[in-house]
Short mmCIF file of all heavy atoms in Angstrom, two decimals:
data_model
loop_
_atom_site.label_atom_id
_atom_site.label_comp_id
_atom_site.label_asym_id
_atom_site.label_seq_id
_atom_site.Cartn_x
_atom_site.Cartn_y
_atom_site.Cartn_z
N LEU A 69 -7.06 -6.32 1.23
CA LEU A 69 -5.72 -6.08 1.74
C LEU A 69 -4.69 -6.82 0.89
O LEU A 69 -4.88 -7.99 0.55
CB LEU A 69 -5.62 -6.56 3.20
CG LEU A 69 -4.22 -6.57 3.80
CD1 LEU A 69 -3.74 -5.16 4.05
CD2 LEU A 69 -4.19 -7.39 5.08
N VAL A 70 -3.60 -6.14 0.58
CA VAL A 70 -2.47 -6.78 -0.09
C VAL A 70 -1.36 -7.01 0.94
O VAL A 70 -0.90 -8.13 1.14
CB VAL A 70 -1.95 -5.92 -1.24
CG1 VAL A 70 -0.71 -6.58 -1.86
CG2 VAL A 70 -3.03 -5.70 -2.29
N ALA A 71 -0.95 -5.94 1.59
CA ALA A 71 0.12 -6.05 2.59
C ALA A 71 0.09 -4.81 3.47
O ALA A 71 -0.27 -3.73 3.02
CB ALA A 71 1.48 -6.18 1.93
N VAL A 72 0.48 -5.00 4.74
CA VAL A 72 0.52 -3.88 5.66
C VAL A 72 1.69 -4.08 6.61
O VAL A 72 2.07 -5.22 6.91
CB VAL A 72 -0.81 -3.75 6.44
CG1 VAL A 72 -1.01 -4.94 7.35
CG2 VAL A 72 -0.86 -2.45 7.22
N THR A 73 2.28 -2.98 7.04
CA THR A 73 3.38 -3.04 7.99
C THR A 73 3.13 -2.01 9.08
O THR A 73 2.58 -0.94 8.83
CB THR A 73 4.73 -2.78 7.29
OG1 THR A 73 5.78 -2.82 8.25
CG2 THR A 73 4.75 -1.43 6.59
N THR A 74 3.51 -2.35 10.31
CA THR A 74 3.34 -1.44 11.43
C THR A 74 4.67 -0.79 11.80
O THR A 74 5.73 -1.23 11.36
CB THR A 74 2.80 -2.18 12.66
OG1 THR A 74 3.84 -3.02 13.20
CG2 THR A 74 1.60 -3.04 12.30
N ASN A 75 4.60 0.23 12.65
CA ASN A 75 5.85 0.89 13.04
C ASN A 75 6.65 0.04 14.01
O ASN A 75 7.77 0.41 14.38
CB ASN A 75 5.58 2.29 13.61
CG ASN A 75 4.71 2.24 14.85
OD1 ASN A 75 4.40 1.18 15.37
ND2 ASN A 75 4.32 3.41 15.32
N ARG A 76 6.11 -1.09 14.42
CA ARG A 76 6.87 -2.06 15.23
C ARG A 76 7.58 -3.07 14.35
O ARG A 76 8.27 -3.95 14.85
CB ARG A 76 5.92 -2.78 16.19
CG ARG A 76 5.27 -1.85 17.19
CD ARG A 76 4.16 -2.58 17.96
NE ARG A 76 3.43 -1.73 18.88
CZ ARG A 76 2.47 -0.90 18.50
NH1 ARG A 76 2.11 -0.84 17.23
NH2 ARG A 76 1.84 -0.15 19.38
N GLY A 77 7.36 -2.98 13.02
CA GLY A 77 8.02 -3.89 12.10
C GLY A 77 7.23 -5.13 11.77
O GLY A 77 7.72 -6.01 11.06
N ASN A 78 6.00 -5.24 12.27
CA ASN A 78 5.17 -6.38 11.93
C ASN A 78 4.61 -6.22 10.53
O ASN A 78 4.27 -5.10 10.12
CB ASN A 78 4.02 -6.53 12.92
CG ASN A 78 4.51 -6.78 14.33
OD1 ASN A 78 5.47 -7.53 14.54
ND2 ASN A 78 3.89 -6.14 15.30
N THR A 79 4.51 -7.32 9.80
CA THR A 79 3.95 -7.27 8.45
C THR A 79 2.88 -8.35 8.30
O THR A 79 2.92 -9.38 8.97
CB THR A 79 5.03 -7.49 7.37
OG1 THR A 79 5.67 -8.75 7.60
CG2 THR A 79 6.07 -6.39 7.41
N ASN A 80 1.96 -8.08 7.40
CA ASN A 80 0.89 -9.03 7.11
C ASN A 80 0.62 -8.99 5.61
O ASN A 80 0.54 -7.90 5.02
CB ASN A 80 -0.37 -8.66 7.88
CG ASN A 80 -1.45 -9.71 7.76
OD1 ASN A 80 -1.17 -10.90 7.67
ND2 ASN A 80 -2.71 -9.28 7.77
N TYR A 81 0.52 -10.17 5.02
CA TYR A 81 0.29 -10.27 3.58
C TYR A 81 -0.96 -11.08 3.29
O TYR A 81 -1.30 -12.02 4.02
CB TYR A 81 1.47 -10.99 2.89
CG TYR A 81 2.77 -10.24 2.90
CD1 TYR A 81 3.69 -10.44 3.91
CD2 TYR A 81 3.09 -9.34 1.88
CE1 TYR A 81 4.90 -9.76 3.92
CE2 TYR A 81 4.30 -8.67 1.87
CZ TYR A 81 5.20 -8.89 2.90
OH TYR A 81 6.40 -8.22 2.89
N ALA A 82 -1.61 -10.75 2.19
CA ALA A 82 -2.66 -11.61 1.68
C ALA A 82 -2.02 -12.92 1.24
O ALA A 82 -0.90 -12.94 0.72
CB ALA A 82 -3.37 -10.95 0.50
N ASP A 83 -2.74 -14.02 1.43
CA ASP A 83 -2.20 -15.32 1.04
C ASP A 83 -1.83 -15.36 -0.43
O ASP A 83 -0.86 -16.01 -0.82
CB ASP A 83 -3.22 -16.43 1.35
CG ASP A 83 -3.37 -16.70 2.84
OD1 ASP A 83 -2.47 -16.30 3.61
OD2 ASP A 83 -4.39 -17.29 3.23
N SER A 84 -2.58 -14.67 -1.24
CA SER A 84 -2.38 -14.72 -2.69
C SER A 84 -1.08 -14.07 -3.15
O SER A 84 -0.64 -14.28 -4.29
CB SER A 84 -3.56 -14.06 -3.41
OG SER A 84 -3.68 -12.71 -3.01
N VAL A 85 -0.46 -13.26 -2.28
CA VAL A 85 0.77 -12.56 -2.70
C VAL A 85 1.99 -12.99 -1.89
O VAL A 85 3.11 -12.55 -2.18
CB VAL A 85 0.61 -11.03 -2.59
CG1 VAL A 85 -0.63 -10.58 -3.35
CG2 VAL A 85 0.56 -10.55 -1.15
#
Side-chain angles (χ1 to χ4, degrees):
L69 171 72
V70 177
V72 66
T73 179
T74 71
N75 61 6
R76 298 170 184 80
N78 298 320
T79 58
N80 187 34
Y81 293 92
D83 288 343
S84 60
V85 307

